[in-house]
Amino acid sequence: MQDNDLPITDWTYDGRLEYVNKNRLVIELVIEQALENFDEQTISLTFQTQGKAVIKIIDLFNGVHFNVESLPNGIPKDITLFSQLAFWVKYKSAGMIYTGNRTNKQTSPEQIPEPIVIKKNHIDLQLEKLAINLNKLNQKVAADLIGYWLSANKKLLNELSFIEESPCELEIDNDVSDTQKTRYKADASFRFLYLFFNIREHLSTVELYENKYLVKGSNRPQYVARYKESHHTKTQIRQTIKSIIDKFNEIYVETEDKDFIIRALFKSISKSAVLDVYEINKNDPSHSDYVQKLKQLKVKPSLLMEQVS
């Protein structure tokens, strides 16, 4: 380590605050330079903008839960720590945002290491699938909904995180009531599960749903694509949503009790808020049936299987 690398010698909370106060301009420059060669989509998904990335990375370093002992091997303990964007993305998102093969746009073929083949277990495969589908969701919905999804699944993400008590929420640009927050968290989780289970391959009438809920519109409530829809179209979309819920229940019944990741993902939509956000109200003759179907997603799958059989 060179002296001009500005080594970090005091990792206490006060020590980190003092380090940033003394070196903020250099730290900001280090982050900005690293951002020039890092994947823009990943930065957008994690921090929304490059400007916010600079601010948030410094805030994460200054956070009360930041622990030097949790730094992965090979991460520098000097000012170049702030250039390790793959680490900061993983830390900010609790490891749920994929950074593989995107770290440096200018990497030459000679610099790419030989791949290490590791046999992945079930949890590793599920984590990879989570990350891939979260990136897919980011391409299809407004930024706030990514924050709502992370918030809705905060407990699961913290349990899976490689750093204890690491943050896993993105800022929400539009302030809404607590009731609306509950609805949007359920909505974001529902859209995610649609992609996660590739529902398009199981149902033939999903085009209208996708055109409304899986087309990136403006980052404002109701977070849907802006287009004119007739009363008939709205009715069709609601019917499609019911069909999606039916399919979710079929998948859930076949889930193993020990598959805590899948069960946790389903739990985030096991509430009537799903019907509220999609305007399936009590005037709908099947409303109570679908409330029950959603609540069943909290029950052990094996118990539901017994009821079916």
Side-chain angles (χ1 to χ4, degrees):
M1 182 183 300
Q2 303 295 321
D3 291 340
N4 58 5
D5 287 333
L6 298 176
I8 306 169
T9 56
D10 185 351
W11 291 86
T12 64
Y13 175 72
D14 290 335
R16 284 180 279 119
L17 289 178
E18 184 179 357
Y19 183 86
V20 170
N21 287 336
K22 287 182 178 180
N23 303 291
R24 178 175 285 273
L25 291 178
V26 182
I27 292 170
E28 291 177 351
L29 180 61
V30 168
I31 299 173
E32 289 168 356
Q33 289 179 336
L35 286 167
E36 292 179 3
N37 296 321
F38 199 79
D39 181 66
E40 293 178 6
Q41 181 183 319
T42 301
I43 294 300
S44 174
L45 175 57
T46 313
F47 301 106
Q48 297 184 341
T49 67
Q50 291 194 351
K52 287 185 177 181
V54 174
I55 296 169
K56 182 52 64 176
I57 287 172
I58 294 174
D59 288 345
L60 291 172
F61 176 75
N62 281 340
V64 294
H65 297 304
F66 191 86
N67 184 359
V68 64
E69 295 180 359
S70 298
L71 288 176
N73 293 332
I75 294 292
K77 296 180 176 61
D78 55 34
I79 200 163
T80 56
L81 165 64
F82 295 94
S83 70
Q84 306 298 303
L85 298 186
F87 163 75
W88 291 113
V89 166
K90 191 173 184 180
Y91 183 47
K92 176 69 171 67
S93 66
M96 296 317 304
I97 295 178
Y98 179 69
T99 59
N101 296 330
R102 294 182 178 184
T103 308
N104 191 329
K105 297 177 184 176
Q106 300 177 350
T107 300
S108 66
E110 293 79 10
Q111 293 173 303
I112 300 175
E114 289 295 321
I116 300 174
V117 180
I118 301 174
K119 187 176 181 180
K120 298 178 180 178
N121 60 32
H122 178 70
I123 292 179
D124 288 336
L125 291 172
Q126 295 285 38
L127 287 174
E128 183 175 295
K129 188 176 179 181
L130 282 176
I132 290 171
N133 282 281
L134 186 57
N135 276 286
K136 284 184 181 178
L137 186 68
N138 179 56
Q139 297 170 28
K140 295 177 179 292
V141 301
D144 277 1
L145 284 181
I146 300 300
Y148 282 122
W149 185 88
L150 291 170
S151 180
N153 294 277
K154 182 177 181 178
K155 182 178 179 181
L156 171 65
L157 300 183
N158 283 339
E159 287 177 355
L160 297 173
S161 176
F162 75 105
I163 295 180
E164 267 188 52
E165 301 182 80
S166 64
C168 62
E169 294 185 62
L170 294 180
E171 292 80 6
I172 307 297
D173 283 348
N174 299 279
D175 190 30
V176 295
S177 68
D178 289 343
T179 298
Q180 285 296 90
K181 288 178 183 177
T182 298
R183 291 177 179 178
Y184 288 135
K185 285 194 285 187
D187 181 18
S189 298
F190 193 90
R191 299 192 209 190
F192 175 85
L193 284 171
Y194 178 92
L195 296 175
F196 188 85
F197 290 114
N198 196 20
I199 297 300
R200 182 182 181 86
E201 296 299 316
H202 299 282
L203 299 177
S204 59
T205 57
V206 296
E207 184 176 357
L208 291 175
Y209 172 81
E210 290 188 356
N211 288 343
K212 182 173 182 178
Y213 292 103
L214 291 170
V215 173
K216 203 178 189 80
S218 60
N219 190 36
R220 297 176 58 185
Q222 304 289 326
Y223 306 111
V224 295
R226 294 189 177 277
Y227 72 100
K228 292 183 179 180
E229 59 180 1
S230 65
H231 176 73
H232 178 65
T233 300
K234 287 184 178 180
T235 301
Q236 286 182 301
I237 293 174
R238 291 185 190 123
Q239 188 57 47
T240 297
I241 289 167
K242 293 177 186 177
S243 298
I244 295 171
I245 294 172
D246 289 338
K247 190 62 188 179
F248 282 163
N249 278 76
E250 291 178 19
I251 294 170
Y252 186 72
V253 168
E254 296 175 356
T255 300
E256 295 185 11
D257 287 353
K258 63 182 180 181
D259 197 337
F260 74 96
I261 294 178
I262 299 299
R263 290 184 60 191
L265 292 173
F266 271 119
K267 189 174 181 179
S268 63
I269 65 165
S270 61
K271 55 198 72 177
S272 60
V274 170
L275 302 181
D276 294 337
V277 76
Y278 293 140
E279 299 179 345
I280 301 174
N281 56 42
K282 293 181 180 179
N283 293 327
D284 189 305
S286 60
H287 179 269
S288 59
D289 291 337
Y290 280 92
V291 169
Q292 182 62 25
K293 287 184 179 184
L294 289 168
K295 288 184 177 180
Q296 285 178 340
L297 300 177
K298 295 180 181 178
V299 180
K300 283 186 178 182
S302 59
L303 296 178
L304 291 180
M305 181 64 78
E306 290 177 7
Q307 295 175 17
V308 172
S309 57

